[in-house]
């Protein structure tokens, strides 16, 4: 009797990116799940999530598939998992705590100044009042509450140790600056919902999350994509999704007029401080992610790491307001269609990689331009014809390249 074929160990790594990142990852995974035969997004061996990616990774490890998550977003079901508005509740408890600290801080500063008024400057002495500034503007306790309820349903668990597959949620220890993978040895007693809350606690926006005697903040502070966690666990294939890339306005300007957003500024500085900060943050974390991807090739030579992310001219991903339901629905569909296009464009490169791990890339699914996440949406015959023509031209281009070799 022939020995059973060993199934390759497969991992999924989801990067951070706030609400917009989580929505993009859901749409991208819906496209991947349709086109990758043999890839069960609820049956991978290892899940790694950071920030909003941790939110989605925890849902997948609990049996909520890409199609279900997309339906919750696109159809706006009452029990939707990812509601960005819950992240906009003011952190009243933090405000009160800091407000109560003002009188003793003020009195302490005043006494310190009176002890040597000739040598101490007022600014220097009263600088300690900065301790009264809240550590976060919004309250992210809703994440813990929502996920605790969601993962209490039959067949799901809020306990890392009871999940069918390994789940790792990465956060940063505020006092040491080190990454911690909740779900790993010594860190698996923390509820999954609390670990997600800690991993998504972006400094300045949300207060650090206290777990035991330590405080944790967003895992993306060290790096946005911790695929190495899955690789060290023995993953032979890691599918990665990174939703945030720097925007290239010059490249976007070359797109056909019908594909550009009307409100896209010619120069990002025209968008004000939020846009400047967004571009800066994306550039920093993307550079670090790319450096990490290069190291994986050397450190884990026998493993395959496949990355999916938006193009740098994707204005939808950079400028979309995800706190509007209509925008969330459109962005999820956008991610779905863009990932289908990316899969088809890279099919000759990715096909053999996936085949090595028992996954077949179904090109016919990608050629079906009538597919959509949006309910009741129908593409016109003209749009379907144009899509099919584009696919045929890409096939012809590949054939000519092969003939030239």
């Amino acid at each position: 009797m022939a020995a059973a074929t060993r199934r390759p160990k497969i991992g999924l790594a989801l990067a951070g990116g706030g609400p917009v990142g989580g929505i993009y990852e859901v749409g991208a995974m819906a496209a991947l799940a349709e086109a990758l035969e043999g890839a069960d997004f609820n049956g991978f061996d290892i899940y790694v999530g950071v920030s909003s990616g941790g939110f989605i990774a925890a849902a997948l490890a609990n049996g909520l598939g890409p199609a279900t998550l997309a339906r919750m977003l696109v159809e706006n079901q009452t029990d939707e998992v990812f509601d960005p508005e819950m992240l906009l509740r003011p952190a009243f408890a933090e405000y009160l705590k800091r407000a109560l600290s003002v009188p003793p801080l003020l009195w302490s500063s005043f006494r310190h100044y009176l002890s040597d008024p000739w040598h101490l400057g007022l600014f220097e002495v009263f600088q300690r009042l900065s301790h009264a500034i809240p550590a976060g503007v919004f309250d992210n306790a809703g994440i813990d509450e929502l996920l605790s309820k969601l993962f209490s349903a039959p067949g799901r668990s809020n306990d890392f140790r009871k999940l069918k597959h390994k789940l790792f949620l990465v956060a940063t220890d505020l006092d040491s600056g080190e990454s911690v993978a909740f779900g790993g040895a010594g860190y698996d007693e923390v509820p999954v919902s609390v670990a997600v809350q800690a991993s998504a606690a972006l400094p300045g926006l949300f207060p650090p999350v206290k777990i035991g005697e330590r405080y944790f903040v967003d895992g993306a502070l060290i790096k946005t994509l911790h695929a190495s966690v899955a690789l060290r666990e023995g993953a032979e294939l890691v599918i990665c999704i990174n939703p945030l890339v720097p925007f290239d306005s010059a490249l976007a300007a070359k797109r056909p007029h019908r594909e550009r957003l009307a409100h896209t500024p010619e120069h990002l500085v025209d968008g004000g401080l939020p846009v400047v900060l967004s571009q800066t943050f994306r550039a920093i974390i993307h550079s670090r992610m790319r450096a990490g991807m290069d190291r994986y090739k050397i450190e884990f030579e026998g493993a395959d790491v496949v990355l999916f992310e938006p193009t740098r001219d994707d204005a939808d991903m950079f400028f979309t307001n995800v706190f509007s339901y209509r925008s969330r629905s459109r962005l999820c569909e956008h991610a779905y269609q863009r990932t289908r296009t990316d899969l088809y464009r890279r099919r000759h490169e990715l096909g053999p990689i996936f085949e090595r791990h028992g996954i077949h890339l179904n090109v016919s699914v990608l050629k079906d331009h009538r597919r959509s996440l949006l309910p009741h949406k129908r593409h016109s015959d003209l749009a379907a014809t144009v899509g099919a023509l584009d696919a045929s031209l890409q096939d012809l281009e590949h054939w000519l390249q092969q003939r030239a070799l």
Side-chain angles (χ1 to χ4, degrees), residues 29-332:
M29 284 191 301
L32 293 172
E34 281 186 353
L36 300 180
E37 296 179 350
D40 180 2
F41 276 75
N42 291 122
F44 290 148
D45 302 277
I46 306 160
Y47 295 89
V48 182
V50 184
S51 193
S52 60
F55 198 114
I56 306 303
L60 291 168
N62 266 288
L64 290 162
T68 300
L69 293 173
R71 198 160 53 246
M72 290 176 174
L73 283 172
V74 173
E75 297 181 7
N76 200 27
Q77 294 182 356
T78 55
D79 60 344
E80 70 177 321
V81 175
F82 198 89
D83 180 6
E85 292 183 4
M86 74 178 180
L87 300 177
L88 294 180
R89 300 169 185 168
F92 291 119
E94 175 70 8
Y95 299 165
L96 178 61
K97 172 186 172 183
R98 300 293 173 169
L100 292 175
S101 72
V102 171
L105 284 173
L106 187 60
W107 175 241
S108 174
S109 298
F110 187 65
R111 288 180 57 188
H112 184 50
Y113 175 70
L114 290 179
S115 68
D116 191 3
W118 304 109
H119 296 92
L120 295 174
L122 284 174
F123 179 79
E124 176 188 355
V125 171
F126 288 95
Q127 190 176 9
R128 66 181 62 187
L129 287 173
S130 63
H131 297 175
I133 299 174
V137 178
F138 302 111
D139 184 4
N140 61 353
I143 293 178
D144 177 28
E145 297 168 8
L146 187 148
L147 292 184
S148 294
K149 180 180 178 181
L150 183 71
F151 297 156
S152 65
R156 301 172 189 167
S157 177
N158 201 26
D159 188 330
F160 284 101
R161 298 161 296 185
K162 295 181 180 179
L163 294 172
K164 295 179 181 178
H165 309 283
K166 290 185 178 181
L167 170 65
F168 299 94
L169 302 171
V170 184
T172 303
D173 185 320
L174 182 62
D175 292 312
S176 68
E178 297 178 346
S179 292
V180 170
F182 289 104
Y187 295 97
D188 55 359
E189 295 182 1
V190 176
V192 172
S193 56
V194 175
V196 173
Q197 181 186 357
S199 180
L202 184 64
L205 283 183
F206 307 109
V209 177
K210 186 178 182 181
I211 300 177
E213 295 303 315
R214 301 164 70 182
Y215 289 87
F216 294 90
V217 293
D218 199 309
L221 261 62
I222 305 301
K223 55 182 178 179
T224 188
L225 187 66
H226 291 258
S228 57
V229 174
L231 292 167
R232 291 193 180 96
E233 287 291 316
E236 297 159 77
L237 168 67
V238 181
I239 298 173
C240 306
I241 304 178
N242 170 51
L244 298 188
V245 299
F247 183 66
D248 188 332
S249 56
L251 189 62
K254 296 178 182 178
R255 279 186 167 274
H257 183 72
R258 66 179 182 278
E259 296 182 11
R260 302 181 206 168
L261 291 184
H263 58 277
T264 304
E266 182 179 356
H267 302 287
L268 294 184
V269 70
D270 297 333
L273 182 61
V275 171
V276 172
L277 290 178
S278 177
Q279 177 75 335
T280 303
F281 177 72
R282 289 167 183 248
I284 292 173
I285 64 172
H286 194 262
S287 174
R288 291 192 311 210
M289 186 206 69
R290 281 294 176 184
M293 295 290 286
D294 291 337
R295 287 197 300 272
Y296 298 156
K297 295 176 183 177
I298 300 172
E299 189 176 352
F300 306 97
E301 190 176 352
D304 289 311
V305 180
V306 180
L307 174 66
F308 295 94
E309 61 182 7
T311 57
R312 295 191 58 170
D313 60 350
D314 193 336
D316 282 275
M317 268 301 292
F318 193 82
F319 294 103
T320 293
N321 172 19
V322 296
F323 294 103
S324 155
Y325 162 67
R326 184 177 179 183
S327 294
R328 302 204 306 269
S329 175
R330 181 177 57 80
L331 180 60
C332 196

